[in-house]
Amino acid sequence: MDVKISVVLPVYNVANYLRKCLDSLVNQTFKDFEVICVNDGSTDLSLGILEGYAVSDSRFKIINQENQGLSGARNTGIEHVQGDYVIFVDSDDWLEENALELLYDHVKGFNSDITMFKFKFFDEDTKKISESQNSKLEIIPDSLITSNFNYNNVLDILFKISHSPFNKLYKTSFLRELDAKFLYGSYYEDLEFFYKVFLKAEKVSVLPKYLYFYRIRDESISNIGDEGSFDIFNVLKSTKQILIDSNIYIEVKNEWLMFIIVNLKFIYLRLDIQFKDQFLLEMKDKYNDFSLNEVVYSQNWHYEDRAFHKSILLAENYKEFDLYYEKICYEILSKHYKTLSNEYKKQIDMLTDENNQLKEKLNENSIKNKFSKIVKL
């Protein structure tokens, strides 16, 4: 059965959130789609929930498999896609009810290989909805919103574009031509996948509407901080090779090196303490391989990223690293504010001089006026 859009939905032990996701699909204003539910060895009530929806709605198809992780579940879903386009939805998230309709209307006109759209964060603890520069796609220039573009048009912001797979609609034939798959059994597989397909896409477009809600919760992979966090080193190595093969590595090298540090810092700061020494050793071991010895700081570097980079070779263990990191952060801030303070002092002195000169002129004018009046008398 041919359909317009396939929704690939990996499911693993998300019974508490699954109905919200499935309801957002059932209630879509666009009807010509299928949902490929890949039950990745769930041990909770997730499968029973899926079966309830599949019984009442034939568009929901269930594939059961032993646990292969998020990347394995997505890859299984890709193999069973029948739609012209495919979207990846995480089973603890949800879509706006008109999302698929708006996306399909958009791609009918643009015929894009990849369509990106806006999303919002939902914090499970606070129940607050928020946005970020990435989620709002603000980094994409307005001049590119009205037509297709490709990576050559955005090399200067390549590593600032969200690499999440869930806020994108992909043309199925495009993915199959590339034989695009997520790195099997790996955390951070979405990072490598994005650059692998984005750098091959001839037509990329943006639908500047909020269509997706991403749930932030403690149990999500990005917040776990376990031994799977070490997958980042292989992911970064693979992604660097993709940049080299695409003949853009030299051109984007400085931004890439900053991107490496941003990701290593993000992961390290969330690591369980028992893994920190080993992670530091890995950073040291990969330092030259990742060309971190060739970093050139620019104004785009956040002071915390600079401090993190500088601390890697200085520390012998995570305790030293944390101390160096904090110390260098304070040193950079101190120097920054000292420079600002000196600038402000110069401006204050200059304004004081101007004020004194103005007072002198006013006094002179006042004396002249008084003298003038005396002469007239």
Side-chain angles (χ1 to χ4, degrees):
M1 179 184 69
D2 292 332
V3 292
K4 296 296 188 293
I5 297 177
S6 293
V7 179
V8 172
L9 186 73
V11 178
Y12 179 71
N13 290 352
V14 287
N16 292 336
Y17 315 105
L18 186 54
R19 292 184 187 279
K20 174 78 172 176
C21 177
L22 298 177
D23 286 342
S24 77
L25 294 169
V26 170
N27 295 324
Q28 286 295 308
T29 55
F30 185 81
K31 303 303 180 183
D32 193 4
F33 68 93
E34 64 175 355
V35 184
I36 302 171
C37 308
V38 182
N39 176 43
D40 195 38
S42 295
T43 57
D44 65 357
L45 298 176
S46 294
L47 177 56
I49 295 172
L50 290 176
E51 289 173 339
Y53 280 77
V55 166
S56 60
D57 193 329
S58 62
R59 295 175 300 179
F60 287 77
K61 302 169 178 61
I62 302 174
I63 300 171
N64 290 302
Q65 65 181 30
E66 293 184 3
N67 184 257
Q68 297 183 29
L70 184 56
S71 56
R74 285 177 177 155
N75 289 339
T76 297
I78 291 173
E79 292 173 2
H80 290 81
V81 161
Q82 298 185 53
D84 297 330
Y85 296 89
V86 58
I87 182 173
F88 299 99
V89 175
D90 290 350
S91 50
D92 53 350
D93 301 337
W94 68 95
L95 290 167
E96 288 282 10
E97 292 182 358
N98 63 347
L100 298 185
E101 179 180 0
L102 292 176
L103 282 167
Y104 190 71
D105 286 346
H106 176 87
V107 294
K108 278 196 304 183
F110 282 76
N111 191 31
S112 307
D113 299 319
I114 303 173
T115 299
M116 299 186 285
F117 51 89
K118 299 182 180 184
F119 65 97
K120 294 183 179 182
F121 299 100
F122 174 78
D123 191 296
E124 180 64 23
D125 292 331
T126 65
K127 309 302 181 187
K128 291 184 178 179
I129 292 176
S130 61
E131 305 163 15
S132 71
Q133 186 181 42
N134 269 352
S135 72
K136 292 188 285 188
L137 298 179
E138 285 187 345
I139 197 67
I140 307 294
D142 290 342
S143 58
L144 298 181
I145 301 295
T146 57
S147 61
N148 283 305
F149 60 93
N150 62 39
Y151 72 91
N152 283 305
N153 304 115
V154 291
L155 283 179
D156 57 330
I157 57 170
L158 183 61
F159 303 110
K160 295 179 181 178
I161 299 172
S162 170
H163 52 256
S164 300
F166 55 75
N167 74 319
K168 298 168 183 71
L169 183 75
Y170 299 91
K171 183 184 288 185
T172 303
S173 59
F174 165 69
L175 292 184
R176 288 193 167 143
E177 284 171 10
L178 297 179
D179 192 25
K181 298 288 175 61
F182 291 88
L183 278 177
Y184 180 76
S186 176
Y187 286 7
Y188 319 115
E189 75 291 336
D190 50 352
L191 191 158
E192 190 259 6
F193 181 84
F194 171 71
Y195 293 105
K196 182 164 52 183
V197 299
F198 186 77
L199 295 179
K200 294 292 185 181
E202 296 181 3
K203 295 180 179 180
V204 181
S205 64
V206 173
L207 175 58
K209 293 184 180 295
Y210 292 100
L211 304 180
Y212 193 99
F213 290 89
Y214 177 81
R215 189 188 302 267
I216 300 173
R217 57 190 180 95
D218 292 338
E219 300 90 348
S220 63
I221 289 175
S222 60
N223 291 322
I224 289 176
D226 63 11
E227 60 267 36
S229 301
F230 290 84
D231 291 343
I232 188 62
F233 295 103
N234 184 50
V235 167
L236 290 173
K237 179 182 177 181
S238 298
T239 306
K240 178 182 177 181
Q241 190 59 49
I242 291 170
L243 300 176
I244 293 171
D245 293 342
S246 299
N247 297 315
I248 63 169
Y249 177 73
I250 298 301
E251 188 169 355
V252 301
K253 181 177 178 181
N254 290 336
E255 289 77 14
W256 166 246
L257 296 180
M258 181 169 65
F259 182 74
I260 290 177
I261 292 298
V262 168
N263 280 275
L264 292 178
K265 184 190 74 172
F266 176 87
I267 294 167
Y268 176 85
L269 295 179
R270 287 159 178 78
L271 266 181
D272 189 293
I273 195 170
Q274 64 178 310
F275 300 116
K276 285 196 168 186
D277 276 338
Q278 185 182 349
F279 198 86
L280 175 60
L281 288 176
E282 283 291 322
M283 289 195 292
K284 286 174 170 291
D285 184 58
K286 300 294 191 297
Y287 196 84
N288 289 340
D289 290 343
F290 285 167
S291 301
L292 295 179
N293 56 322
E294 300 174 24
V295 162
V296 177
Y297 299 131
S298 68
Q299 290 183 342
N300 294 330
W301 277 73
H302 191 278
Y303 75 91
E304 290 181 354
D305 300 330
R306 291 173 57 188
F308 190 90
H309 173 247
K310 289 182 176 181
S311 301
I312 294 174
L313 293 185
L314 294 174
E316 296 299 324
N317 55 64
Y318 85 88
K319 290 184 178 179
E320 282 189 6
F321 182 89
D322 291 351
L323 288 172
Y324 275 119
Y325 174 60
E326 188 173 7
K327 174 177 176 288
I328 295 172
C329 277
Y330 283 127
E331 287 175 348
I332 295 173
L333 283 175
S334 175
K335 183 178 180 181
H336 173 72
Y337 286 118
K338 184 177 180 180
T339 302
L340 279 180
S341 177
N342 290 336
E343 288 296 320
Y344 287 142
K345 187 176 183 305
K346 287 180 182 178
Q347 291 204 19
I348 290 171
D349 290 343
M350 183 181 69
L351 291 171
T352 300
D353 288 342
E354 290 180 1
N355 190 43
N356 289 336
Q357 292 174 16
L358 182 59
K359 283 183 178 179
E360 288 178 7
K361 287 183 179 180
L362 290 173
N363 287 335
E364 288 177 7
N365 289 336
S366 178
I367 292 172
K368 287 179 180 179
N369 288 336
K370 287 182 180 179
F371 183 75
S372 174
K373 290 180 180 178
I374 292 172
V375 170
K376 286 181 180 180
L377 291 171

